[in-house]
Short mmCIF file of all heavy atoms in Angstrom, two decimals:
data_model
loop_
_atom_site.label_atom_id
_atom_site.label_comp_id
_atom_site.label_asym_id
_atom_site.label_seq_id
_atom_site.Cartn_x
_atom_site.Cartn_y
_atom_site.Cartn_z
N MET F 1 -5.83 -1.92 16.38
CA MET F 1 -4.94 -0.87 15.98
C MET F 1 -5.22 0.39 16.77
O MET F 1 -6.37 0.76 16.95
CB MET F 1 -5.13 -0.56 14.49
CG MET F 1 -4.16 -1.26 13.59
SD MET F 1 -4.44 -0.94 11.84
CE MET F 1 -4.21 0.79 11.71
N LYS F 2 -4.19 1.05 17.21
CA LYS F 2 -4.36 2.32 17.91
C LYS F 2 -4.68 3.44 16.95
O LYS F 2 -5.45 4.33 17.25
CB LYS F 2 -3.10 2.65 18.71
CG LYS F 2 -2.86 1.73 19.86
CD LYS F 2 -1.63 2.14 20.62
CE LYS F 2 -1.38 1.17 21.76
NZ LYS F 2 -0.19 1.52 22.52
N GLU F 3 -4.05 3.41 15.76
CA GLU F 3 -4.30 4.43 14.76
C GLU F 3 -5.42 3.99 13.83
O GLU F 3 -5.67 2.81 13.67
CB GLU F 3 -3.04 4.70 13.92
CG GLU F 3 -1.84 5.12 14.71
CD GLU F 3 -0.88 3.97 14.92
OE1 GLU F 3 -0.95 2.99 14.18
OE2 GLU F 3 -0.08 4.05 15.85
N SER F 4 -6.06 4.96 13.22
CA SER F 4 -7.07 4.64 12.20
C SER F 4 -6.92 5.64 11.06
O SER F 4 -6.37 6.73 11.23
CB SER F 4 -8.47 4.71 12.79
OG SER F 4 -8.76 6.01 13.23
N ILE F 5 -7.43 5.27 9.90
CA ILE F 5 -7.38 6.14 8.74
C ILE F 5 -8.53 7.14 8.85
O ILE F 5 -9.68 6.73 9.06
CB ILE F 5 -7.49 5.32 7.44
CG1 ILE F 5 -6.33 4.32 7.37
CG2 ILE F 5 -7.49 6.23 6.22
CD1 ILE F 5 -6.47 3.31 6.25
N PRO F 6 -8.26 8.43 8.76
CA PRO F 6 -9.35 9.42 8.84
C PRO F 6 -10.42 9.16 7.79
O PRO F 6 -10.12 8.85 6.63
CB PRO F 6 -8.64 10.75 8.59
CG PRO F 6 -7.21 10.50 8.92
CD PRO F 6 -6.96 9.06 8.58
N SER F 7 -11.68 9.28 8.18
CA SER F 7 -12.80 9.00 7.27
C SER F 7 -12.78 9.92 6.04
O SER F 7 -13.13 9.49 4.95
CB SER F 7 -14.13 9.11 8.00
OG SER F 7 -14.29 10.39 8.55
N ARG F 8 -12.38 11.17 6.21
CA ARG F 8 -12.32 12.10 5.07
C ARG F 8 -11.30 11.62 4.03
O ARG F 8 -11.54 11.72 2.83
CB ARG F 8 -11.94 13.50 5.57
CG ARG F 8 -11.85 14.53 4.48
CD ARG F 8 -13.21 14.89 3.91
NE ARG F 8 -13.04 15.89 2.89
CZ ARG F 8 -13.69 15.91 1.74
NH1 ARG F 8 -14.59 14.99 1.50
NH2 ARG F 8 -13.48 16.85 0.87
N LEU F 9 -10.18 11.07 4.49
CA LEU F 9 -9.17 10.55 3.58
C LEU F 9 -9.70 9.34 2.81
O LEU F 9 -9.47 9.20 1.61
CB LEU F 9 -7.91 10.18 4.35
CG LEU F 9 -6.73 9.68 3.53
CD1 LEU F 9 -6.29 10.73 2.52
CD2 LEU F 9 -5.57 9.32 4.44
N LEU F 10 -10.45 8.47 3.48
CA LEU F 10 -11.04 7.32 2.80
C LEU F 10 -12.09 7.73 1.77
O LEU F 10 -12.26 7.08 0.74
CB LEU F 10 -11.66 6.35 3.80
CG LEU F 10 -10.67 5.48 4.57
CD1 LEU F 10 -11.41 4.64 5.61
CD2 LEU F 10 -9.89 4.59 3.64
N GLU F 11 -12.81 8.83 2.03
CA GLU F 11 -13.79 9.33 1.07
C GLU F 11 -13.11 9.80 -0.22
O GLU F 11 -13.63 9.59 -1.32
CB GLU F 11 -14.58 10.50 1.66
CG GLU F 11 -15.54 10.10 2.76
CD GLU F 11 -16.18 11.32 3.41
OE1 GLU F 11 -16.11 12.43 2.83
OE2 GLU F 11 -16.73 11.17 4.50
N LEU F 12 -11.94 10.43 -0.09
CA LEU F 12 -11.23 10.96 -1.25
C LEU F 12 -10.39 9.92 -1.97
O LEU F 12 -10.05 10.09 -3.14
CB LEU F 12 -10.32 12.11 -0.81
CG LEU F 12 -11.02 13.34 -0.23
CD1 LEU F 12 -10.00 14.32 0.33
CD2 LEU F 12 -11.90 14.00 -1.27
N ALA F 13 -10.04 8.84 -1.29
CA ALA F 13 -9.15 7.83 -1.87
C ALA F 13 -9.81 7.07 -3.01
O ALA F 13 -11.00 6.81 -3.00
CB ALA F 13 -8.72 6.84 -0.78
N GLN F 14 -9.01 6.74 -4.01
CA GLN F 14 -9.48 5.91 -5.13
C GLN F 14 -9.04 4.47 -4.96
O GLN F 14 -9.53 3.58 -5.63
CB GLN F 14 -8.95 6.46 -6.44
CG GLN F 14 -9.48 7.82 -6.76
CD GLN F 14 -8.94 8.36 -8.07
OE1 GLN F 14 -8.28 7.65 -8.83
NE2 GLN F 14 -9.21 9.61 -8.33
N GLY F 15 -8.10 4.25 -4.05
CA GLY F 15 -7.62 2.90 -3.77
C GLY F 15 -6.73 2.93 -2.55
O GLY F 15 -6.36 3.99 -2.05
N ILE F 16 -6.40 1.74 -2.06
CA ILE F 16 -5.54 1.63 -0.90
C ILE F 16 -4.65 0.40 -1.05
O ILE F 16 -5.08 -0.62 -1.59
CB ILE F 16 -6.37 1.57 0.40
CG1 ILE F 16 -5.48 1.64 1.63
CG2 ILE F 16 -7.25 0.34 0.43
CD1 ILE F 16 -6.25 1.86 2.91
N VAL F 17 -3.40 0.54 -0.63
CA VAL F 17 -2.44 -0.57 -0.64
C VAL F 17 -1.88 -0.70 0.76
O VAL F 17 -1.44 0.30 1.35
CB VAL F 17 -1.29 -0.32 -1.65
CG1 VAL F 17 -0.29 -1.46 -1.60
CG2 VAL F 17 -1.83 -0.16 -3.05
N ILE F 18 -1.90 -1.90 1.31
CA ILE F 18 -1.37 -2.16 2.64
C ILE F 18 -0.23 -3.16 2.51
O ILE F 18 -0.43 -4.28 2.04
CB ILE F 18 -2.45 -2.71 3.58
CG1 ILE F 18 -3.61 -1.72 3.67
CG2 ILE F 18 -1.87 -3.02 4.95
CD1 ILE F 18 -4.85 -2.27 4.34
N VAL F 19 0.98 -2.73 2.90
CA VAL F 19 2.17 -3.58 2.87
C VAL F 19 2.75 -3.57 4.29
O VAL F 19 3.48 -2.66 4.65
CB VAL F 19 3.21 -3.08 1.85
CG1 VAL F 19 4.40 -4.01 1.80
CG2 VAL F 19 2.59 -2.95 0.47
N PRO F 20 2.41 -4.57 5.11
CA PRO F 20 2.81 -4.53 6.52
C PRO F 20 4.31 -4.66 6.76
O PRO F 20 4.82 -4.08 7.71
CB PRO F 20 2.06 -5.69 7.15
CG PRO F 20 1.65 -6.57 6.03
CD PRO F 20 1.59 -5.72 4.80
N LYS F 21 5.02 -5.40 5.95
CA LYS F 21 6.46 -5.58 6.17
C LYS F 21 7.21 -5.30 4.88
O LYS F 21 7.45 -6.20 4.08
CB LYS F 21 6.76 -7.00 6.64
CG LYS F 21 6.24 -7.30 8.01
CD LYS F 21 6.64 -8.68 8.47
CE LYS F 21 6.10 -8.96 9.85
NZ LYS F 21 6.46 -10.29 10.32
N LEU F 22 7.58 -4.04 4.67
CA LEU F 22 8.36 -3.65 3.51
C LEU F 22 9.82 -3.59 3.94
O LEU F 22 10.18 -2.83 4.84
CB LEU F 22 7.91 -2.30 2.98
CG LEU F 22 8.64 -1.78 1.75
CD1 LEU F 22 8.33 -2.66 0.54
CD2 LEU F 22 8.25 -0.35 1.46
N ILE F 23 10.65 -4.40 3.34
CA ILE F 23 12.07 -4.42 3.64
C ILE F 23 12.77 -3.47 2.68
O ILE F 23 12.62 -3.59 1.47
CB ILE F 23 12.65 -5.84 3.52
CG1 ILE F 23 11.97 -6.76 4.53
CG2 ILE F 23 14.16 -5.83 3.73
CD1 ILE F 23 12.32 -8.22 4.36
N ASN F 24 13.52 -2.53 3.24
CA ASN F 24 14.19 -1.51 2.44
C ASN F 24 15.64 -1.43 2.91
O ASN F 24 15.89 -1.20 4.09
CB ASN F 24 13.48 -0.16 2.64
CG ASN F 24 13.86 0.85 1.62
OD1 ASN F 24 14.61 0.56 0.71
ND2 ASN F 24 13.33 2.05 1.77
N ALA F 25 16.59 -1.64 2.02
CA ALA F 25 18.01 -1.62 2.38
C ALA F 25 18.81 -0.99 1.26
O ALA F 25 18.43 -1.06 0.10
CB ALA F 25 18.51 -3.03 2.65
N GLY F 26 19.93 -0.38 1.63
CA GLY F 26 20.77 0.15 0.58
C GLY F 26 21.94 0.95 1.07
O GLY F 26 21.95 1.49 2.17
N PHE F 27 22.97 0.97 0.24
CA PHE F 27 24.14 1.81 0.40
C PHE F 27 24.76 1.88 -0.99
O PHE F 27 25.34 0.91 -1.45
CB PHE F 27 25.13 1.21 1.42
CG PHE F 27 26.33 2.07 1.62
CD1 PHE F 27 26.23 3.23 2.35
CD2 PHE F 27 27.55 1.73 1.07
CE1 PHE F 27 27.34 4.04 2.54
CE2 PHE F 27 28.66 2.53 1.25
CZ PHE F 27 28.56 3.68 1.99
N VAL F 28 24.58 2.95 -1.69
CA VAL F 28 24.91 3.17 -3.10
C VAL F 28 23.94 2.39 -3.99
O VAL F 28 23.34 2.93 -4.88
CB VAL F 28 26.38 2.83 -3.45
CG1 VAL F 28 26.65 3.09 -4.92
CG2 VAL F 28 27.33 3.62 -2.57
N ILE F 29 23.77 1.10 -3.74
CA ILE F 29 22.77 0.29 -4.43
C ILE F 29 21.70 -0.05 -3.42
O ILE F 29 22.00 -0.54 -2.33
CB ILE F 29 23.40 -1.00 -5.01
CG1 ILE F 29 24.45 -0.65 -6.06
CG2 ILE F 29 22.33 -1.89 -5.61
CD1 ILE F 29 25.21 -1.83 -6.59
N GLY F 30 20.44 0.21 -3.76
CA GLY F 30 19.35 -0.03 -2.83
C GLY F 30 18.34 -1.00 -3.40
O GLY F 30 18.24 -1.19 -4.61
N ALA F 31 17.59 -1.61 -2.50
CA ALA F 31 16.54 -2.54 -2.91
C ALA F 31 15.42 -2.52 -1.89
O ALA F 31 15.64 -2.20 -0.72
CB ALA F 31 17.11 -3.95 -3.03
N LYS F 32 14.22 -2.85 -2.34
CA LYS F 32 13.09 -2.99 -1.43
C LYS F 32 12.17 -4.07 -1.94
O LYS F 32 12.09 -4.33 -3.15
CB LYS F 32 12.35 -1.68 -1.23
CG LYS F 32 11.67 -1.11 -2.45
CD LYS F 32 10.94 0.15 -2.07
CE LYS F 32 11.11 1.21 -3.12
NZ LYS F 32 10.49 2.46 -2.76
N ARG F 33 11.48 -4.71 -1.01
CA ARG F 33 10.56 -5.78 -1.36
C ARG F 33 9.54 -5.94 -0.24
O ARG F 33 9.86 -5.85 0.93
CB ARG F 33 11.30 -7.09 -1.58
CG ARG F 33 10.40 -8.23 -2.00
CD ARG F 33 11.22 -9.41 -2.50
NE ARG F 33 10.39 -10.56 -2.76
CZ ARG F 33 9.80 -10.82 -3.90
NH1 ARG F 33 9.93 -9.98 -4.91
NH2 ARG F 33 9.07 -11.90 -4.08
N GLY F 34 8.30 -6.19 -0.63
CA GLY F 34 7.25 -6.40 0.35
C GLY F 34 6.02 -7.01 -0.30
O GLY F 34 5.83 -6.92 -1.50
N ARG F 35 5.21 -7.65 0.53
CA ARG F 35 3.96 -8.25 0.05
C ARG F 35 2.80 -7.68 0.85
O ARG F 35 2.94 -7.40 2.04
CB ARG F 35 3.98 -9.76 0.25
CG ARG F 35 5.00 -10.45 -0.61
CD ARG F 35 4.93 -11.93 -0.43
NE ARG F 35 6.03 -12.56 -1.16
CZ ARG F 35 6.41 -13.78 -0.95
NH1 ARG F 35 5.81 -14.53 -0.05
NH2 ARG F 35 7.41 -14.30 -1.66
N GLY F 36 1.67 -7.51 0.19
CA GLY F 36 0.51 -6.95 0.87
C GLY F 36 -0.74 -7.13 0.05
O GLY F 36 -0.82 -8.01 -0.81
N ILE F 37 -1.73 -6.27 0.30
CA ILE F 37 -2.99 -6.31 -0.44
C ILE F 37 -3.32 -4.92 -0.97
O ILE F 37 -2.87 -3.91 -0.43
CB ILE F 37 -4.17 -6.83 0.42
CG1 ILE F 37 -4.42 -5.90 1.61
CG2 ILE F 37 -3.93 -8.25 0.88
CD1 ILE F 37 -5.71 -6.19 2.31
N ALA F 38 -4.11 -4.89 -2.04
CA ALA F 38 -4.58 -3.63 -2.63
C ALA F 38 -6.08 -3.74 -2.88
O ALA F 38 -6.59 -4.83 -3.17
CB ALA F 38 -3.86 -3.36 -3.95
N MET F 39 -6.78 -2.61 -2.72
CA MET F 39 -8.21 -2.55 -3.01
C MET F 39 -8.49 -1.25 -3.75
O MET F 39 -7.88 -0.23 -3.46
CB MET F 39 -9.04 -2.61 -1.73
CG MET F 39 -8.91 -3.93 -1.02
SD MET F 39 -10.00 -4.24 0.38
CE MET F 39 -10.47 -2.69 1.01
N VAL F 40 -9.42 -1.31 -4.70
CA VAL F 40 -9.79 -0.15 -5.51
C VAL F 40 -11.24 0.21 -5.22
O VAL F 40 -12.09 -0.68 -5.06
CB VAL F 40 -9.61 -0.47 -7.02
CG1 VAL F 40 -10.06 0.69 -7.87
CG2 VAL F 40 -8.16 -0.81 -7.30
N LYS F 41 -11.52 1.51 -5.15
CA LYS F 41 -12.89 1.97 -4.93
C LYS F 41 -13.63 2.00 -6.26
O LYS F 41 -13.13 2.53 -7.25
CB LYS F 41 -12.90 3.35 -4.30
CG LYS F 41 -14.28 3.76 -3.80
CD LYS F 41 -14.29 5.15 -3.23
CE LYS F 41 -13.67 5.21 -1.89
NZ LYS F 41 -13.83 6.54 -1.26
N ARG F 42 -14.82 1.44 -6.28
CA ARG F 42 -15.65 1.43 -7.49
C ARG F 42 -16.37 2.77 -7.67
O ARG F 42 -16.37 3.61 -6.78
CB ARG F 42 -16.68 0.31 -7.38
CG ARG F 42 -16.07 -1.06 -7.31
CD ARG F 42 -17.16 -2.12 -7.25
NE ARG F 42 -16.55 -3.44 -7.19
CZ ARG F 42 -16.91 -4.38 -6.35
NH1 ARG F 42 -17.89 -4.17 -5.48
NH2 ARG F 42 -16.30 -5.55 -6.35
N ALA F 43 -16.96 2.95 -8.84
CA ALA F 43 -17.66 4.21 -9.15
C ALA F 43 -18.82 4.49 -8.20
O ALA F 43 -19.13 5.64 -7.91
CB ALA F 43 -18.16 4.18 -10.59
N ASP F 44 -19.46 3.43 -7.66
CA ASP F 44 -20.59 3.63 -6.74
C ASP F 44 -20.14 3.88 -5.30
O ASP F 44 -20.97 4.03 -4.41
CB ASP F 44 -21.54 2.44 -6.81
CG ASP F 44 -20.94 1.14 -6.31
OD1 ASP F 44 -19.75 1.13 -5.93
OD2 ASP F 44 -21.66 0.12 -6.29
N GLY F 45 -18.82 3.91 -5.06
CA GLY F 45 -18.30 4.18 -3.72
C GLY F 45 -17.99 2.95 -2.90
O GLY F 45 -17.41 3.07 -1.82
N SER F 46 -18.36 1.77 -3.38
CA SER F 46 -18.04 0.55 -2.65
C SER F 46 -16.61 0.12 -2.97
O SER F 46 -16.03 0.55 -3.96
CB SER F 46 -19.02 -0.57 -3.01
OG SER F 46 -18.89 -0.92 -4.37
N TRP F 47 -16.05 -0.72 -2.13
CA TRP F 47 -14.68 -1.19 -2.32
C TRP F 47 -14.68 -2.53 -3.02
O TRP F 47 -15.50 -3.40 -2.72
CB TRP F 47 -13.97 -1.30 -0.97
CG TRP F 47 -13.67 0.03 -0.38
CD1 TRP F 47 -14.45 0.73 0.50
CD2 TRP F 47 -12.54 0.85 -0.64
NE1 TRP F 47 -13.86 1.93 0.81
CE2 TRP F 47 -12.68 2.02 0.12
CE3 TRP F 47 -11.42 0.70 -1.43
CZ2 TRP F 47 -11.73 3.04 0.11
CZ3 TRP F 47 -10.47 1.72 -1.44
CH2 TRP F 47 -10.64 2.88 -0.67
N GLY F 48 -13.75 -2.72 -3.94
CA GLY F 48 -13.59 -3.98 -4.65
C GLY F 48 -12.96 -5.04 -3.77
O GLY F 48 -12.55 -4.78 -2.64
N ASN F 49 -12.85 -6.23 -4.29
CA ASN F 49 -12.23 -7.33 -3.57
C ASN F 49 -10.73 -7.08 -3.43
O ASN F 49 -10.09 -6.51 -4.31
CB ASN F 49 -12.46 -8.65 -4.30
CG ASN F 49 -13.91 -9.04 -4.31
OD1 ASN F 49 -14.65 -8.72 -3.39
ND2 ASN F 49 -14.34 -9.71 -5.36
N PRO F 50 -10.14 -7.55 -2.33
CA PRO F 50 -8.69 -7.38 -2.16
C PRO F 50 -7.90 -8.23 -3.15
O PRO F 50 -8.33 -9.31 -3.54
CB PRO F 50 -8.44 -7.84 -0.72
CG PRO F 50 -9.61 -8.64 -0.34
CD PRO F 50 -10.75 -8.19 -1.18
N VAL F 51 -6.76 -7.70 -3.57
CA VAL F 51 -5.86 -8.39 -4.49
C VAL F 51 -4.49 -8.43 -3.84
O VAL F 51 -4.02 -7.44 -3.29
CB VAL F 51 -5.78 -7.62 -5.84
CG1 VAL F 51 -4.78 -8.27 -6.77
CG2 VAL F 51 -7.13 -7.51 -6.48
N PHE F 52 -3.84 -9.58 -3.87
CA PHE F 52 -2.50 -9.70 -3.32
C PHE F 52 -1.49 -9.06 -4.26
O PHE F 52 -1.54 -9.28 -5.47
CB PHE F 52 -2.15 -11.17 -3.06
CG PHE F 52 -2.99 -11.77 -1.98
CD1 PHE F 52 -4.08 -12.56 -2.29
CD2 PHE F 52 -2.69 -11.55 -0.65
CE1 PHE F 52 -4.86 -13.12 -1.30
CE2 PHE F 52 -3.47 -12.10 0.35
CZ PHE F 52 -4.56 -12.89 0.03
N VAL F 53 -0.57 -8.26 -3.72
CA VAL F 53 0.44 -7.58 -4.52
C VAL F 53 1.83 -7.80 -3.92
O VAL F 53 1.98 -8.03 -2.72
CB VAL F 53 0.16 -6.06 -4.62
CG1 VAL F 53 -1.11 -5.78 -5.36
CG2 VAL F 53 0.16 -5.41 -3.26
N THR F 54 2.83 -7.71 -4.77
CA THR F 54 4.24 -7.74 -4.35
C THR F 54 4.89 -6.49 -4.88
O THR F 54 4.79 -6.18 -6.06
CB THR F 54 4.96 -8.99 -4.89
OG1 THR F 54 4.31 -10.15 -4.41
CG2 THR F 54 6.42 -9.01 -4.47
N ILE F 55 5.55 -5.75 -3.99
CA ILE F 55 6.25 -4.54 -4.39
C ILE F 55 7.75 -4.85 -4.39
O ILE F 55 8.29 -5.34 -3.39
CB ILE F 55 5.96 -3.39 -3.42
CG1 ILE F 55 4.48 -3.03 -3.51
CG2 ILE F 55 6.83 -2.18 -3.71
CD1 ILE F 55 4.04 -1.96 -2.56
N THR F 56 8.40 -4.59 -5.51
CA THR F 56 9.83 -4.82 -5.65
C THR F 56 10.44 -3.61 -6.35
O THR F 56 9.85 -3.08 -7.28
CB THR F 56 10.11 -6.08 -6.50
OG1 THR F 56 9.41 -7.18 -5.90
CG2 THR F 56 11.58 -6.40 -6.55
N GLY F 57 11.61 -3.16 -5.88
CA GLY F 57 12.24 -2.02 -6.52
C GLY F 57 13.72 -1.95 -6.20
O GLY F 57 14.21 -2.63 -5.30
N GLY F 58 14.41 -1.13 -6.95
CA GLY F 58 15.83 -0.96 -6.74
C GLY F 58 16.26 0.43 -7.15
O GLY F 58 15.53 1.15 -7.84
N SER F 59 17.45 0.83 -6.70
CA SER F 59 17.97 2.14 -7.06
C SER F 59 19.50 2.11 -7.03
O SER F 59 20.11 1.28 -6.37
CB SER F 59 17.47 3.20 -6.09
OG SER F 59 17.93 2.94 -4.78
N VAL F 60 20.08 3.05 -7.75
CA VAL F 60 21.53 3.21 -7.78
C VAL F 60 21.81 4.70 -7.68
O VAL F 60 21.18 5.50 -8.36
CB VAL F 60 22.14 2.65 -9.09
CG1 VAL F 60 23.64 2.88 -9.13
CG2 VAL F 60 21.82 1.18 -9.25
N GLY F 61 22.71 5.08 -6.81
CA GLY F 61 23.04 6.50 -6.69
C GLY F 61 23.75 6.79 -5.38
O GLY F 61 23.96 5.93 -4.55
N LEU F 62 24.10 8.05 -5.21
CA LEU F 62 24.79 8.46 -4.00
C LEU F 62 23.83 8.84 -2.92
O LEU F 62 22.83 9.37 -3.02
CB LEU F 62 25.73 9.63 -4.31
CG LEU F 62 26.85 9.27 -5.27
CD1 LEU F 62 27.65 10.51 -5.60
CD2 LEU F 62 27.76 8.21 -4.67
#
């Protein structure tokens, strides 16, 4: 990767979600869907095991 997450941001973060391909479409009615992984930072500062997640959503409006 050319980009990296700044170390200061990772220190402050309580968790991270990575969704590499989020499909987002809409015209009056919108929808989005994507699959990725999530990790939560533990109280001792270490990162938990990755968990697979699916993000799904919709909207209606102008």
Side-chain angles (χ1 to χ4, degrees):
M1 264 178 61
K2 292 182 182 180
E3 302 100 20
S4 63
I5 300 170
S7 58
R8 180 71 179 139
L9 183 59
L10 284 176
E11 290 174 16
L12 297 172
Q14 296 180 8
I16 187 168
V17 178
I18 302 169
V19 182
K21 292 184 180 179
L22 181 67
I23 298 171
N24 195 3
F27 181 74
V28 180
I29 297 174
K32 65 177 139 184
R33 182 167 173 89
R35 293 183 187 164
I37 62 168
M39 294 188 336
V40 177
K41 191 183 284 187
R42 297 182 180 133
D44 66 358
S46 65
W47 289 93
N49 294 329
V51 176
F52 293 100
V53 295
T54 301
I55 295 177
T56 305
S59 63
V60 178
L62 296 175

